[in-house]
């Protein structure tokens, strides 16, 4: 219960999803990020067992970091098998993600980052051994509405932001000693790894906190915690570089920061904040069409929402014959839901039928 001051939009000033996206469930990250996961599986040519094994290994590795972090919300060490098991309340939320693969946002956490000049640090008497320098930074957005992206398994904006930040720092990705990649869901981590040119199982790791699914975080302010922990890790090591990524929306808004113990070769200078954005094509992508008729389509991404009883609703992103996209749901047919959950259905033909408020999907 607060005051009567009018709400103020501190964000981008526009909705994060289109009306059709909202109606079909894409306003919920627990739906949208599993859709990205289906596209990643297809792009990598994985079968279900391979996909699930990689998810289990990623969460297990992140849990080991969280277990050693006294600030982590969840400090259980999970084996890959435990991450994939539904025991102990670790049920499926949206296939293929168990509960432990979903961000923990309901936390009581706070973090702060203070920046100043070298001159001011000296005047304040701060020990130079504690100084951590910002070496590079960049930000860029992908196509704003998730359903209108050119594809769903990569991020041109994050790739561009990473390249610009590294260029400003004057180093290559091989010089980075530790990473914290925004980790609300596994697909966000995988897309970030691909964008930066590293493997998901890179020996340097993908998190210094334990990640959003285990360390937790107050929404996308998680990245403030990641920066704070990166500073602590760099101070403890006494040398090296760290890279932190941030994400807003549905893999929509991206930022990259590179931090190091040694002073930059060149002093921080004004940079073009739009340089990375200029490298992202925002004008050539399919548009979401709504309404539709009864039309032939092929699938480009798919996910299945679960309730406590099992598979409940399929969500499908489809390409129409005219090159535009549409969204649809599927429910009430256990065989259809099983196929959407467990098979790689990207590229498979189907049919959508207009509905109010959601379209219906069936396989051709």
């Amino acid at each position: 219960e607060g005051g009567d001051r009018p709400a103020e939009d501190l964000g981008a000033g526009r909705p994060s999803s289109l009306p059709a996206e909202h109606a079909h469930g894409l306003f919920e990250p627990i739906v949208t990020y599993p859709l990205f996961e289906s596209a990643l599986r297809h792009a990598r040519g994985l079968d279900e067992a391979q996909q699930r094994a990689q998810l289990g290994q990623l969460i297990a590795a992140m849990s080991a970091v969280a277990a050693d972090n006294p600030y982590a919300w969840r400090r259980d060490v999970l084996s890959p098998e435990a991450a994939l098991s539904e025991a102990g309340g670790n049920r499926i939320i949206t296939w293929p993600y168990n509960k432990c693969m979903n961000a923990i946002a309901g936390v009581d956490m706070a973090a702060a980052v203070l920046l100043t000049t070298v001159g001011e640090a000296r005047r304040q008497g701060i020990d130079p051994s504690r100084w951590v320098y910002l070496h590079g930074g960049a930000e860029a957005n992908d196509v704003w509405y998730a359903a209108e992206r050119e594809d769903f398994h990569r991020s041109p904006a994050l790739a561009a932001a990473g390249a610009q930040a590294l260029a400003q720092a004057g180093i290559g990705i091989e010089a980075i000693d530790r990473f914290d990649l925004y980790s609300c869901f596994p697909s966000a981590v995988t897309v970030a790894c691909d964008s930066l040119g590293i493997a998901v199982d890179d020996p340097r790791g993908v998190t210094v906190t334990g990640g959003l699914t285990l360390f937790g975080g107050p929404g996308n302010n998680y990245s403030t915690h990641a920066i704070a922990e990166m500073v602590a890790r760099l101070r403890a090591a006494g040398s090296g570089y760290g890279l932190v990524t941030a994400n807003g929306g549905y893999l929509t808004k991206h930022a990259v920061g590179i931090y190091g113990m040694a002073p930059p070769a060149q002093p921080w200078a004004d940079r073009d904040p739009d340089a990375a954005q200029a490298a992202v094509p925002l004008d050539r992508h399919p548009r979401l069409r709504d309404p539709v008729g009864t039309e032939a389509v092929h699938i480009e991404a798919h996910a299945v929402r679960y309730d406590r009883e099992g598979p409940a609703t399929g969500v499908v992103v489809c390409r129409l014959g005219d090159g535009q996209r549409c969204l649809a749901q599927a429910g009430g047919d256990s065989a259809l839901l099983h196929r959407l959950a467990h098979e790689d259905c990207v590229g498979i033909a189907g049919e959508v039928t207009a509905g109010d408020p959601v379209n219906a999907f069936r396989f051709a």
Side-chain angles (χ1 to χ4, degrees):
E1 296 181 355
D4 56 4
R5 187 174 67 181
E8 181 181 358
D9 184 352
L10 299 177
R14 56 174 166 169
S16 58
S17 56
L18 292 164
E21 290 179 305
H22 196 278
H24 289 84
L26 272 68
F27 70 96
E28 294 186 279
I30 58 172
V31 172
T32 308
Y33 284 86
L35 286 169
F36 298 151
E37 187 68 48
S38 72
L40 284 163
R41 173 185 170 180
H42 180 77
R44 282 169 156 68
L46 303 178
D47 62 28
E48 183 179 51
Q50 293 170 321
Q51 178 195 39
R52 291 278 286 166
Q54 289 187 8
L55 292 173
Q57 290 160 6
L58 173 63
I59 296 299
M62 295 172 71
S63 77
V65 178
D68 284 337
N69 188 337
Y71 301 113
W73 204 252
R74 180 178 180 181
R75 299 185 66 190
D76 305 320
V77 177
L78 300 176
S79 67
E81 294 75 20
L84 299 173
S85 170
E86 295 187 49
N90 191 35
R91 65 185 183 91
I92 298 294
I93 303 299
T94 302
W95 189 267
Y97 291 163
N98 293 71
K99 187 176 180 180
C100 68
M101 302 174 192
N102 292 252
I104 305 173
V107 298
D108 183 6
M109 289 178 160
V113 175
L114 300 178
L115 297 105
T116 189
T117 63
V118 166
E120 184 61 25
R122 288 196 180 107
R123 282 190 290 272
Q124 294 292 334
I126 299 171
D127 184 348
S129 70
R130 295 179 58 77
W131 295 357
V132 176
Y133 298 86
L134 178 60
H135 284 246
E139 60 280 330
N141 295 346
D142 276 309
V143 170
W144 191 257
Y145 298 116
E148 294 191 336
R149 306 263 167 84
E150 187 172 354
D151 51 51
F152 302 112
H153 67 273
R154 62 189 184 95
S155 170
L158 183 49
Q164 183 185 353
L166 287 165
Q168 184 181 10
I171 59 175
I173 197 69
E174 70 283 351
I176 301 297
D177 297 285
R178 47 190 59 83
F179 296 89
D180 197 276
L181 308 181
Y182 196 84
S183 48
C184 52
F185 298 87
S187 58
V189 178
T190 305
V191 169
C193 288
D194 290 350
S195 299
L196 296 170
I198 65 172
V200 176
D201 60 354
D202 189 291
R204 294 169 288 183
V206 297
T207 183
V208 294
T209 67
L212 251 172
T213 65
L214 298 152
F215 173 85
N220 58 10
N221 189 50
Y222 162 82
S223 297
T224 309
H225 294 266
I227 294 168
E229 182 62 29
M230 185 63 76
V231 166
R233 296 293 187 99
L234 290 169
R235 284 173 172 167
S239 63
Y241 295 98
L243 185 152
V244 177
T245 70
N247 164 42
Y250 315 99
L251 287 181
T252 308
K253 301 177 286 184
H254 304 275
V256 179
I258 297 174
Y259 306 85
M261 291 299 295
Q266 298 292 330
W268 185 272
D270 288 340
R271 61 185 176 86
D272 180 359
D274 298 321
Q277 191 64 65
V280 182
L282 297 178
D283 56 350
R284 57 174 195 270
H285 60 85
R287 307 291 177 173
L288 193 63
R289 175 150 65 83
D290 187 64
V292 298
T294 298
E295 302 182 48
V297 297
H298 68 264
I299 296 174
E300 291 193 287
H302 55 99
V304 175
R305 284 288 306 271
Y306 276 50
D307 58 25
R308 294 185 182 276
E309 305 303 317
T313 306
V315 181
V316 186
V317 183
C318 302
R319 185 70 72 116
L320 293 153
D322 62 5
Q324 297 185 83
R325 284 211 182 102
C326 70
L327 301 173
Q329 289 188 354
D333 183 332
S334 59
L336 188 155
L337 291 176
H338 184 275
R339 187 175 178 186
L340 285 174
H342 300 291
E343 295 184 17
D344 175 7
C345 296
V346 174
I348 300 298
E351 182 181 83
V352 294
T353 302
D356 186 14
V358 301
N359 305 317
F361 172 85
R362 69 177 184 87
F363 286 106

